């Protein structure tokens, strides 16, 4: 075997996603870009706010800024800016030494898992869940365990409680959620905090909560509660991939609750984990986000698309929960086999992702990080696909 045995399965899984990406390119070449409705990727097309370009230009002309190595957790002034912002938003009393700048949310997740999880320990997440978690668990040597959510994709606390074992080290949640768009309420998060406190006592082992929040700013008419308020032993992580449309620039951070058990040790380990992968988060974009705390893309664009998509899908006869956040819809597949239904959609030049890959069989995911005209243009195809089953 030319590549490591343990990589074979991971490469196969990654190539499924790559195949879909390549299929999109092939279909655009064959049918023309305007005749292909590609909802497969969560890659923001909304331009970054003008302040990003302005700040970049200022920084390019500023000879005083450093482009060199720095402490592995990131520039001190940037970590201070992040801590100041979070303290203003959440009043948690965060200090910059508990902030680690990372290469996106993926970098932060890898840091946290490397810092916390021993090989063979379990990472528990509600399903459906973001597919990247399989890879991050793999890298950390953790076993990914899932607990089902309720039919509306909100937390099923009994299922989480039942899935916790003596091997559970981390519970990982993501709200607003990819792929379902669910935003967890304060009440359910409070309940989760109580479950984790009780389970940590029961198994005489600290269970940490990781809250993966790259979509925090993309929420419609609902509060995204502060997770730090419900459980002390929490690490919040996020990125600027979605809220500033900077997914390719690889910039994000993790922040550890000051009262978390061994908070300083975890921050130190996360910083060292940075050195194992990419040494430090990209310098230029640390400088950029350090100056742009609290700025976001125009969320109104995503709200408009969500409403447009929901209306069209409803009229075509699809069933789904209207998402409260992120930029995904997760409708029920009209037939049991979601992979087969995604193939039926492909006959209409519509690209979607089967829910099975997210641990949510019987559904399919649509990303509305695409132009309005792609959404509007797809409705006839969605209707035809539905009608073809009658
Ligand atoms: N977590 C979730 C839930 C995501 O949807 C994504 C990306 O789509 C990530 C993490 C990784 O984000 P980033 O590109 O900032 O590394």
């Amino acid at each position: 075997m030319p590549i490591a045995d343990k990589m074979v399965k991971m490469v196969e899984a990654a190539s499924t996603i790559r195949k879909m990406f390549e299929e999109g390119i092939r279909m655009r070449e064959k049918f023309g870009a305007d005749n292909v409705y590609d909802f497969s990727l969560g890659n923001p097309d909304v331009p970054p706010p003008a302040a990003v370009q302005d700040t970049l230009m200022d920084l390019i002309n500023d000879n005083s800024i450093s482009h060199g190595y720095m402490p592995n957790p990131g520039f001190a002034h940037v970590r201070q800016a992040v801590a100041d912002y979070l303290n203003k938003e959440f009043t948690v009393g965060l200090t910059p030494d508990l902030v680690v700048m990372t290469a996106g949310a993926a970098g932060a997740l890898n840091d946290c898992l490397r810092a916390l999880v021993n090989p063979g320990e379990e990472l528990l997440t509600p399903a459906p869940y973001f597919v990247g978690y399989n890879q991050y668990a793999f890298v950390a040597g953790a076993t990914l365990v899932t607990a089902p959510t309720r039919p509306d994709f909100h937390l099923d606390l009994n299922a989480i409680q039942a899935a916790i074992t003596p091997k559970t080290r981390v519970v990982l949640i993501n709200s607003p959620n990819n792929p379902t768009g669910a935003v967890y309420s304060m009440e359910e998060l409070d309940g989760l905090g109580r479950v984790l406190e009780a389970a940590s006592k029961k198994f005489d082992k600290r269970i940490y909560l990781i809250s993966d929040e790259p979509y925090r700013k993309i929420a419609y008419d609902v509060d995204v509660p502060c997770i730090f308020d419900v459980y002390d032993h929490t690490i919040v992580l996020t990125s600027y991939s979605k809220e500033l449309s900077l997914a390719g620039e690889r910039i994000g951070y993790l922040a550890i609750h000051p009262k978390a058990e061994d908070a300083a040790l975890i921050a130190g380990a996360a910083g060292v984990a940075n050195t194992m992968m990419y040494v430090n988060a990209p310098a230029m974009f640390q400088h950029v986000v350090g100056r742009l705390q609290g700025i976001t893309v125009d969320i109104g664009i995503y709200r408009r698309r969500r409403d447009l998509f929901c209306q069209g899908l409803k009229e075509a006869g699809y069933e789904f929960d209207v998402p409260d956040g992120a930029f995904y819809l997760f409708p029920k597949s009209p037939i049991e086999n979601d992979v087969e239904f995604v193939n039926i959609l492909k006959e209409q030049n519509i690209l979607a992702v089967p829910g099975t890959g997210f641990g949510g069989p019987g559904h399919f995911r649509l990303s509305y990080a695409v132009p309005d005209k792609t959404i509007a243009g797809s409705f006839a195809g969605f209707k035809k696909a539905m009608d073809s089953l009658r």
Side-chain angles (χ1 to χ4, degrees):
M1 187 62 70
I3 58 169
D5 292 344
K6 64 178 185 178
M7 279 301 286
V8 174
K9 247 172 63 190
M10 303 312 286
V11 172
E12 269 167 23
S15 76
T16 312
I17 297 163
R18 200 178 58 229
K19 268 190 206 136
M20 182 165 303
F21 185 63
E22 283 162 5
E23 180 74 359
I25 296 173
R26 194 192 61 75
M27 285 171 69
R28 273 187 282 276
E29 275 168 7
K30 186 166 171 199
F31 301 106
D34 285 350
N35 300 314
V36 176
Y37 310 100
D38 188 349
F39 304 111
S40 62
L41 279 186
N43 192 12
D45 70 316
V46 174
V52 170
Q53 193 175 7
D54 294 347
T55 306
L56 261 174
M57 295 312 284
D58 284 351
L59 289 166
I60 285 168
N61 292 315
D62 184 348
N63 292 332
S64 71
I65 66 159
S66 164
H67 298 281
Y69 289 126
M70 69 202 74
N72 300 115
F75 287 120
H77 73 279
V78 177
R79 295 158 71 205
Q80 182 72 59
V82 170
D84 289 348
Y85 173 71
L86 290 177
N87 287 333
K88 217 166 57 199
E89 287 277 288
F90 302 135
T91 59
V92 72
L94 204 69
T95 47
D97 53 306
L98 296 178
V99 174
V100 177
M101 300 308 295
T102 62
L109 277 157
N110 276 294
D111 278 353
C112 288
L113 296 180
R114 279 176 197 232
L116 287 172
V117 184
N118 288 304
E121 285 188 314
E122 291 171 358
L123 164 65
L124 172 61
T125 196
Y129 62 93
F130 171 55
V131 280
Y133 294 170
N134 290 311
Q135 292 171 321
Y136 313 146
F138 168 80
V139 170
T143 306
L144 187 72
V145 176
T146 59
T149 45
R150 298 189 330 221
D152 62 358
F153 301 123
H154 281 257
L155 296 176
D156 180 338
L157 296 178
N158 290 331
I160 291 178
Q161 191 173 24
I164 295 177
T165 76
K167 287 189 180 167
T168 308
R169 178 64 164 161
V170 167
V171 171
L172 169 58
I173 58 167
N174 164 227
S175 168
N177 186 268
N178 174 8
T180 66
V183 177
Y184 303 150
S185 68
M186 191 54 165
E187 197 186 350
E188 61 195 302
L189 292 174
D190 233 4
L192 178 64
R194 281 197 297 274
V195 166
L196 297 188
E197 200 52 69
S200 296
K201 277 210 183 81
K202 177 176 167 192
F203 294 116
D204 192 23
K205 170 183 181 180
R206 175 53 60 199
I207 297 172
Y208 287 88
L209 177 61
I210 297 179
S211 185
D212 177 21
E213 304 187 356
Y215 303 95
R216 164 171 281 279
K217 295 292 165 58
I218 305 177
Y220 318 105
D221 307 322
V222 288
D223 272 347
V224 182
C226 173
I227 192 75
F228 280 143
D229 291 344
V230 303
Y231 188 60
D232 288 352
H233 312 284
T234 295
I235 303 170
V236 167
L237 61 91
T238 187
S239 71
Y240 301 89
S241 300
K242 321 286 173 174
E243 65 183 56
L244 286 181
S245 286
L246 293 176
E249 304 298 351
R250 313 308 306 137
I251 185 75
Y253 64 82
L254 63 90
I256 304 163
H257 194 305
K259 289 191 189 152
E261 215 168 283
D262 296 321
L265 276 180
I266 297 168
V272 171
N274 257 354
T275 69
M276 293 172 175
M277 293 183 287
Y278 46 80
V279 183
N280 55 254
M284 192 60 162
F285 272 84
Q286 285 196 50
H287 291 303
V288 172
V289 300
R291 293 186 187 189
L292 293 180
Q293 290 301 303
I295 306 248
T296 53
V297 293
D298 178 359
I299 306 304
I301 298 175
Y302 289 125
R303 180 202 301 271
R304 187 182 70 223
R305 291 172 176 176
R306 175 198 66 163
D307 293 346
L308 175 69
F309 219 165
C310 287
Q311 192 189 335
L313 288 176
K314 203 168 152 210
E315 281 168 18
Y318 290 83
E319 279 179 54
F320 53 88
D321 287 305
V322 175
D324 283 325
F327 41 60
Y328 306 101
L329 273 154
F330 202 58
K332 265 197 190 123
S333 167
I335 53 175
E336 202 181 329
N337 187 332
D338 48 291
V339 178
E340 199 181 317
F341 184 66
V342 161
N343 283 329
I344 292 173
L345 285 176
K346 214 189 305 167
E347 287 164 21
Q348 302 300 327
N349 288 357
I350 293 171
L351 294 177
V353 189
T356 298
F358 299 95
H363 294 79
F364 59 99
R365 191 193 76 168
L366 302 167
S367 161
Y368 50 92
V370 297
D372 296 35
K373 69 171 187 198
T374 307
I375 297 170
S378 69
F379 294 152
F382 274 109
K383 186 152 190 341
K384 266 195 196 154
M386 182 64 95
D387 290 348
S388 72
L389 302 169
R390 294 202 171 113

